[in-house]
Amino acid sequence: MRFSNLFAPTLKDDPTDAEVVSHKLLVRAGMIRQVARGIYDYLPLGLRALRNVERIIREEMDRAGAQEILMPAICPAELWQESGRWDRYGKDLLRLKDRHERDFCFGPTHEEVVTDIVRREIRSYRDLPKNLYQVQTKFRDEIRPRFGLLRGREFLMKDAYSFHVDRADCEREYRRMYEAYERVFSRCGLRFRAVEADTGAIGGSLSHEFQVLAESGEDSIAACNACSYAANVELAALGPAPVDALTEEASAELRRVSTPNRRTVEDVSSYLDIPADRFIKTLIFVREDGSPIAALVRGDQMLSEAKLRVALGVPWVGLADADVVRRVTGASVGFAGPVGLDAPILADQTLEGIRGAASGANQDDEHLVGVEHGRDFGDGVTFADLREARAGDRCARCGEGTYEIYRGIEVGQVFYLGTKYSTALGATFLDASGQSQVMEMGCYGIGVSRTLAAAIEQSHDENGIIWPKPLSPYPIEIVPVSMNDAAVVSAAEKLAADLQERGIETLVDDRDERPGVKFKDADLIGIPLRVTVGKKGLDRGIVEVKHRKDGTVEEVAVGDAAARLAERAL
RNA sequence: CGGGGUGUAGCUCAGACUGGUAGAGCACUGCGUUCGGGACGCAGGGGCCGCAGGUUCAAAUCCUGUCACCCCGACCA
């Protein structure tokens, strides 16, 4: 490809609306342009890189035995009503009406549609298992799209769904997909970690996320420094042992103290001069049916909603609004406490046996001090692992190591779904004995466009993108230093032709620009190998090969260049 | 949805407080000089100052509304 002909409008300045580096660089390098909030054009270079991610995914999915299909982007409401998600999915679901006023949605995920295909066509255990995948544009009307391709509303996703005769077979496929994902992300040149994950709105009971390690990531993951266990912090298992000896605090008299308008742990802590870890933080939640529940964690800890859901065995909980809080506690938000509270209470296990603690008094502008588990509250309290893991917390899996916390960008997730959708939609088969059985399902997603952005988050410098070789729009860029020097131009063109003969497509910067301009753009665009063809080199019979990654330059004899480059480009 | 911010040339931004001929740098066009890390000179082109109302002799500037985009929060593969 000749640069003079390429549609790659590069920019010198960072666009003001971009915050993270992948967004800035993708725009500056002329690879994407925003069309609307969270919706982007892919220009030629960006699209080529995106296609590379797709290609790797397809190769590994096919290798793992999955089959590609393509489902509609626009899906009829009926299927979503059948699974119950039409009402439950919320505003992320973009709903549309056709000219006949029939309801449709732009598919944010395709469990319903794929399950519908399978229930209509598969009747026998002999037809199972099946793993069907697609690479498709999805739309989720996110509350707050941001970070360019990392959290768009429209995005490219690979989603796969597998169907099985029993759980064991489904778990076998789960492992196969897990391994396929490891290959995909390794081939993309990413540093990543597979972590145990929450199953969220999709449902199911076993799940791993594939997290690309990057400071700009929106997820926090906890990884044990002694064993192989890693999990999203909202789920990372913590042991029952208290992190410090709260129970050794002397028993104290229960007293009521005035705390006018001090609602947060921080406020009350500084007002009463009691450290935050001596507080029992009481959060009121409601379940799907509206029934309230109180969740207790220490004042210096963060409650994990995911862990609370798991402990309750429910798919959803939400923080109660002010009215519910008043009804349950008799006070406004900020003064809830476990003593005398008339609601089921779940408490983090580190609170078991706590003494001399402070908590809300269930009365406006008052707190209690000297609170003691067992003496002042405890009846009907269930202890569970409810808090978010922090750096230094002991790993509950091995009991040896402690957690280190990393930021991650979730680029893929695998789920064991069980029979949630197959039951709702009636995807059944006849087993060997002629009995009707419900299919076991798994689902497996990769954010294709997000993976592209994640690669840049992880691989760039102050001058621009540094593409991992397998993702680069072109393997090699050739830069003739001057277009006015016939020898330079013809050497560059001959090299491009020789490489083309070897099946390697190059980007040749044939623009009549000053060398500095071409070098800057080459760095920005980030192609891994840059061949500089200049008079100085040609006089000595060499061209220069510069590695984008580390800036090293090697001189290669003109005659050997094509062969040498062909080796390196592959 | 709540809080904050910004909309002026393709990009980055001045101008607004104090109303009076719409600006700079980069980019773009032409000519010339230059040519190994974002050159220089000369001459040009390019604007419904987000949109709609209002105030005024006069509005980019003041007022009201509205739309878009960005940030923080709640939410989320």
Side-chain angles (χ1 to χ4, degrees):
Chain A
M1 169 62 75
R2 290 168 180 277
F3 207 127
S4 61
N5 198 36
L6 179 69
F7 183 48
T10 58
L11 264 23
K12 286 185 182 176
D13 298 314
D14 281 338
T16 38
D17 57 0
E19 196 182 9
V20 296
V21 69
S22 63
H23 188 190
K24 289 178 183 170
L25 290 177
L26 280 163
V27 172
R28 280 191 56 206
M31 298 191 182
I32 64 168
R33 286 292 185 265
Q34 179 166 319
V35 178
R37 142 180 264 241
I39 299 175
Y40 294 86
D41 292 317
Y42 287 85
L43 306 186
L45 290 174
L47 184 61
R48 285 180 71 97
L50 187 73
R51 292 291 186 235
N52 286 334
V53 179
E54 277 183 63
R55 192 194 71 247
I56 290 167
I57 292 171
R58 284 196 169 91
E59 286 172 7
E60 294 301 335
M61 290 302 290
D62 292 345
R63 171 141 80 125
Q67 298 175 62
E68 186 169 5
I69 62 173
L70 185 57
M71 291 182 268
I74 306 293
C75 307
E78 284 81 1
L79 287 174
W80 283 71
Q81 285 157 352
E82 224 179 316
S83 71
R85 283 160 117 192
W86 184 260
D87 297 319
R88 267 209 307 277
Y89 207 90
K91 290 190 172 171
D92 275 17
L93 187 64
L94 180 66
R95 295 153 210 262
L96 321 154
K97 281 185 192 296
D98 69 7
R99 63 163 67 192
H100 304 294
E101 292 289 302
R102 289 200 188 97
D103 287 314
F104 289 83
C105 64
F106 197 116
T109 177
H110 280 71
E111 284 82 3
E112 284 82 357
V113 181
V114 75
T115 306
D116 175 58
I117 299 172
V118 168
R119 72 174 168 185
R120 290 188 331 226
E121 310 302 335
I122 292 184
R123 297 183 180 76
S124 163
Y125 72 97
R126 292 182 181 163
D127 299 325
L128 294 172
K130 283 282 175 290
N131 185 336
L132 304 174
Y133 78 94
Q134 64 175 347
V135 177
Q136 196 201 36
T137 296
K138 296 281 195 274
F139 193 93
R140 293 183 191 174
D141 201 355
E142 295 274 352
I143 294 172
R144 187 142 103 81
R146 57 185 134 173
F147 302 151
L149 259 33
L150 284 175
R151 178 173 293 279
R153 291 192 293 171
E154 190 182 282
F155 57 101
L156 195 66
M157 177 166 167
K158 187 283 304 179
D159 47 328
Y161 307 88
S162 70
F163 299 84
H164 308 269
V165 295
D166 58 27
R167 175 163 186 157
D169 193 58
C170 190
E171 289 186 356
R172 182 194 49 72
E173 185 71 11
Y174 182 97
R175 284 192 297 276
R176 190 194 292 256
M177 284 293 109
Y178 183 106
E179 287 159 14
Y181 276 30
E182 288 185 315
R183 285 196 296 270
V184 166
F185 297 121
S186 296
R187 284 185 60 190
C188 286
L190 297 166
R191 295 189 308 281
F192 67 97
R193 188 121 192 202
V195 305
E196 293 186 15
D198 184 31
T199 54
I202 292 200
S205 53
L206 170 62
S207 180
H208 284 85
E209 288 165 346
F210 288 77
Q211 297 274 0
V212 167
L213 274 17
E215 274 310 306
S216 55
E218 293 184 88
D219 290 327
S220 289
I221 61 184
C224 179
N225 59 14
C227 72
S228 64
Y229 178 68
N232 198 301
V233 286
E234 58 184 14
L235 222 60
L238 296 168
V243 263
D244 50 32
L246 288 182
T247 53
E248 287 173 13
E249 185 81 8
S251 192
E253 188 191 348
L254 184 67
R255 282 189 303 122
R256 191 172 279 263
V257 292
S258 171
T259 51
N261 210 28
R262 307 299 200 285
R263 294 164 189 276
T264 65
V265 168
E266 198 176 284
D267 287 348
V268 182
S269 167
S270 60
Y271 184 69
L272 297 179
D273 197 25
I274 298 174
D277 63 9
R278 308 294 318 160
F279 276 76
I280 301 171
K281 186 158 62 179
T282 306
L283 299 158
I284 309 298
F285 283 86
V286 290
R287 284 180 272 217
E288 231 167 344
D289 62 6
S291 64
I293 184 129
L296 273 41
V297 292
R298 232 172 49 185
D300 61 325
Q301 293 170 170
M302 293 280 290
L303 178 94
S304 160
E305 267 190 41
K307 286 185 176 180
L308 180 62
R309 281 198 306 271
V310 171
L312 289 167
V314 299
W316 186 88
V317 290
L319 212 48
D321 61 32
D323 290 345
V324 174
V325 171
R326 180 164 288 284
R327 206 178 70 231
V328 173
T329 68
S332 54
V333 175
F335 300 100
V339 181
L341 190 65
D342 182 24
I345 299 177
L346 258 74
D348 184 74
Q349 50 200 351
T350 53
L351 290 176
E352 191 158 13
I354 192 169
R355 292 174 175 175
S359 79
N362 297 321
Q363 188 167 333
D364 276 11
D365 301 332
E366 291 194 357
H367 278 74
L368 297 176
V369 295
V371 176
E372 184 167 325
H373 168 230
R375 185 190 70 188
D376 305 321
F377 74 100
D379 290 347
V381 174
T382 308
F383 288 94
D385 175 13
L386 293 183
R387 69 186 209 273
E388 268 189 13
R390 288 184 301 199
D393 284 345
R394 185 157 302 282
C395 169
R397 211 41 87 80
C398 67
E400 297 292 315
T402 54
Y403 288 130
E404 289 169 12
I405 307 294
Y406 300 94
R407 300 293 288 178
I409 300 165
E410 184 199 338
V411 289
Q413 187 162 13
V414 291
F415 291 92
Y416 164 67
L417 284 177
T419 58
K420 178 174 171 166
Y421 295 95
S422 45
T423 300
L425 292 160
T428 60
F429 64 98
L430 292 183
D431 67 15
S433 60
Q435 295 291 306
S436 181
Q437 303 246 24
V438 179
M439 295 178 200
E440 290 279 336
M441 289 176 63
C443 84
Y444 321 93
I446 293 179
V448 182
S449 40
R450 180 181 282 184
T451 299
L452 189 72
I456 296 172
E457 290 295 328
Q458 209 172 59
S459 181
H460 65 271
D461 63 17
E462 64 281 4
N463 294 314
I465 299 169
I466 303 174
W467 285 113
K469 270 183 196 172
L471 303 190
S472 181
Y474 291 90
I476 295 171
E477 175 167 348
I478 299 172
V479 179
V481 170
S482 166
M483 294 307 289
N484 300 318
D485 184 324
V488 167
V489 172
S490 70
E493 283 180 352
K494 175 157 193 321
L495 180 57
D498 288 351
L499 284 164
Q500 184 76 55
E501 253 175 52
R502 294 167 193 266
I504 294 169
E505 213 177 340
T506 55
L507 176 61
V508 181
D509 196 344
D510 61 338
R511 295 175 300 172
D512 187 14
E513 288 286 356
R514 297 168 63 83
V517 173
K518 297 187 185 189
F519 294 152
K520 285 289 182 188
D521 271 347
D523 286 347
L524 218 207
I525 288 167
I527 288 169
L529 293 174
R530 186 188 90 196
V531 186
T532 310
V533 181
K535 181 172 190 307
K536 284 196 313 202
L538 288 183
D539 286 347
R540 292 163 46 221
I542 61 106
V543 294
E544 293 158 32
V545 177
K546 180 163 183 171
H547 296 253
R548 178 65 183 87
K549 195 184 178 84
D550 53 18
T552 56
V553 178
E554 49 182 324
E555 299 187 343
V556 179
V558 176
D560 299 339
R564 296 275 297 277
L565 283 163
E567 289 166 22
R568 281 172 176 64
L570 297 177

